[in-house]
Amino acid sequence: MPQLWDLPAPEAGRAARPNAAGLDTAGLKALVSALGEPAWRGGQIFEGLYRQRWTRWEQFSSLSKALRTRLEAEVDLSWPTIVQSQASEDGSTKHAFELADGKQVEGVYMPYDDRVTLCLSSQVGCAMGCTFCATGQMGIIRNLTAAEIVGQVVAMLNHHGHPEGRPVNLVFMGMGEPLHNLDHLMAAFAILSDPKGLAIPPRRVTVSTSGLVSGIERLGGFPKRPRLALSLNATTDAHRSAIMPVNRVWNLEALAAALAAFPLQSGERITLEYVLLKGVTDSPEDGRRLAAFARRFPAKVNLIPFNPHEGSGFQPPEESRIAALCRLLSEAGLPVSVRRSRGQDVAGACGQLVREGQTRKPKAEN
Ligand code: SAH
Ligand code: SF4
């Protein structure tokens, strides 16, 4: 028989506690006001949470001891927790984050000489069903909250002891379709780019979409917004619709028109990501059509050799074929790079992010 003191704390009691992690300044001001404290203390907590990346109330040296004790007793400070980390030989680390409801998402930490790039998830799973993508095989489970998006950044920077001032790039190229979760994404972006907090400049944040025209139009309307990357991945409607179901709703012409209308700042380019699937999307004709598509707006091209994963029927092209496409595009006057995906040996590269046990169907359909 379990003793009374062995039983877990009642859920209702815990759920009633507010959580400060992931709140914006207004939310924090409301929180401290409800405790009878002056609202400006919310600003102090904001700086502690996001500039200092403090994770325990006792660390908040900017607050009085009495207030810290009260916060400790009454307010949670609970971020997604890293439950698994796999270091890759190339220096990147794939992290699994556990969320409050036990669901998991993944993020990748990639250090470079002059910066660190964090690849973030925006959803648990993804609804878009692209046939080459491991996350697409999961189906959609749920959107992440703004706190869960910001929490991936805080957790990874703390885990790696990131010093304040070292540049951070964020790419929403992990699990999920970010434009399907635009409200939470933009709430997270406001916190992440706030000069009083993590202070990540908007130009260092890139949102990658499979091509939701309605979301692209909405994103373009924000005065302060992340940069845009489009996963083009094929150059005819027939090919694109076969591997990316979203193309049956918004085809290549609709996409090109939306990208041409997207309001860019001077010098800003839209990134066209192009996954190279051997024998499917890697022909010289594809290269010429890709160049024609990219000429309709300021663009740069990022070629991504397919990362094989269990259950996919695709292969990456041979190196010579990748080099030929690269040459063709650069001769057409386009800035082009080839993404040598990091973390491939730990399944942390693009499109390989899928938490075990969350796979909806064990095999891709092709
Ligand atoms: N859902 C968004 C962002 C996440 S996917 C999008 O689709 O843009 C991030 C990038 O990984 C996309 O460009 C996608 O085309 C690419 N990708 C997905 N699966 C891949 C795989 N197995 N190999 C290489 N790239 C892949
Ligand atoms: Fe979703 Fe992007 Fe994967 Fe397509 S490629 S299924 S949009 S995560």
Side-chain angles (χ1 to χ4, degrees):
M1 274 291 282
Q3 302 293 308
L4 196 56
W5 50 87
D6 289 334
L7 297 174
E11 272 309 305
R14 279 198 66 74
R17 283 168 64 96
N19 182 14
L23 293 182
D24 61 8
T25 309
L28 291 167
K29 285 185 172 170
L31 185 95
V32 291
S33 300
L35 296 178
E37 292 285 333
W40 53 265
R41 291 222 178 275
Q44 289 182 314
I45 297 178
F46 186 94
E47 291 205 24
L49 281 176
Y50 306 116
R51 182 190 291 270
Q52 311 293 344
R53 306 193 313 261
W54 287 328
T55 55
R56 296 187 315 278
W57 288 121
E58 64 187 27
Q59 294 172 295
F60 282 67
S61 49
S62 50
L63 305 176
S64 69
K65 181 94 177 44
L67 180 54
R68 277 182 269 164
T69 308
R70 178 125 191 249
L71 287 165
E72 183 74 52
E74 296 180 36
V75 180
D76 280 343
L77 215 175
S78 145
W79 288 114
T81 46
I82 292 179
V83 288
Q84 197 187 1
S85 303
Q86 288 170 271
S88 167
E89 273 174 14
D90 64 14
S92 65
T93 307
K94 184 177 80 162
H95 296 288
F97 301 95
E98 186 165 288
L99 311 174
D101 62 357
K103 299 276 184 288
Q104 292 191 6
V105 291
E106 294 180 337
V108 187
Y109 174 92
M110 294 171 276
Y112 296 88
D113 289 345
D114 58 341
R115 65 178 191 280
V116 54
T117 297
L118 306 181
C119 176
L120 305 175
S121 292
S122 56
Q123 299 181 308
V124 186
C126 181
M128 307 309 291
C130 305
T131 60
F132 51 85
C133 173
T135 308
Q137 293 170 33
M138 292 173 64
I140 179 71
I141 296 175
R142 69 169 175 84
N143 278 335
L144 295 190
T145 63
E148 289 167 337
I149 294 171
V150 176
Q152 295 170 65
V153 177
V154 171
M156 282 196 270
L157 294 182
N158 279 345
H159 183 94
H160 292 275
H162 181 88
E164 196 187 332
R166 185 168 182 217
V168 177
N169 285 5
L170 303 178
V171 294
F172 284 89
M173 297 181 186
M175 293 165 78
E177 166 52 57
L179 298 189
H180 250 171
N181 189 17
L182 194 52
D183 290 338
H184 293 146
L185 181 92
M186 290 308 288
F189 172 75
I191 294 172
L192 293 164
S193 59
D194 191 313
K196 292 202 178 79
L198 287 145
I200 299 170
R203 67 187 156 75
R204 289 192 174 273
V205 184
T206 301
V207 164
S208 171
T209 180
S210 56
L212 266 73
V213 165
S214 56
I216 293 171
E217 288 169 353
R218 262 194 79 200
L219 184 69
F222 286 94
K224 204 174 129 194
R225 57 156 177 82
R227 297 212 160 177
L228 182 63
L230 170 80
S231 298
L232 184 64
N233 298 347
T235 61
T236 67
D237 279 323
H239 281 147
R240 196 164 192 272
S241 294
I243 57 172
M244 301 183 73
V246 64
N247 197 70
R248 296 170 208 159
V249 182
W250 288 290
N251 66 14
L252 288 168
E253 183 48 42
L255 266 180
L259 296 180
F262 194 75
L264 297 176
Q265 294 181 345
S266 96
E268 183 180 357
R269 289 172 184 269
I270 294 172
T271 303
L272 293 178
E273 297 160 279
Y274 192 84
V275 177
L276 293 166
L277 305 171
K278 181 178 179 174
V280 184
T281 62
D282 63 344
S283 71
E285 294 73 42
D286 280 315
R288 281 187 278 277
R289 284 188 295 256
L290 173 49
F293 186 91
R295 247 179 245 120
R296 295 181 58 177
F297 45 86
K300 58 182 173 184
V301 176
N302 193 208
L303 299 175
I304 315 174
F306 175 67
N307 294 313
H309 52 87
E310 211 186 310
S312 86
F314 298 108
Q315 292 301 319
E318 292 92 23
E319 285 298 319
S320 59
R321 198 120 171 134
I322 300 172
L325 263 172
C326 198
R327 209 167 32 245
L328 186 155
L329 292 166
S330 100
E331 280 167 13
L334 281 164
V336 50
S337 55
V338 180
R339 192 186 304 168
R340 296 293 167 194
S341 293
R342 290 189 144 215
Q344 217 157 337
D345 55 319
V346 291
C350 333
Q352 287 181 298
L353 297 182
V354 55
R355 296 303 303 151
E356 277 166 35
Q358 290 185 358
T359 314
R360 194 180 53 178
K361 23 184 189 163
K363 288 234 177 275
E365 266 142 18
N366 58 349

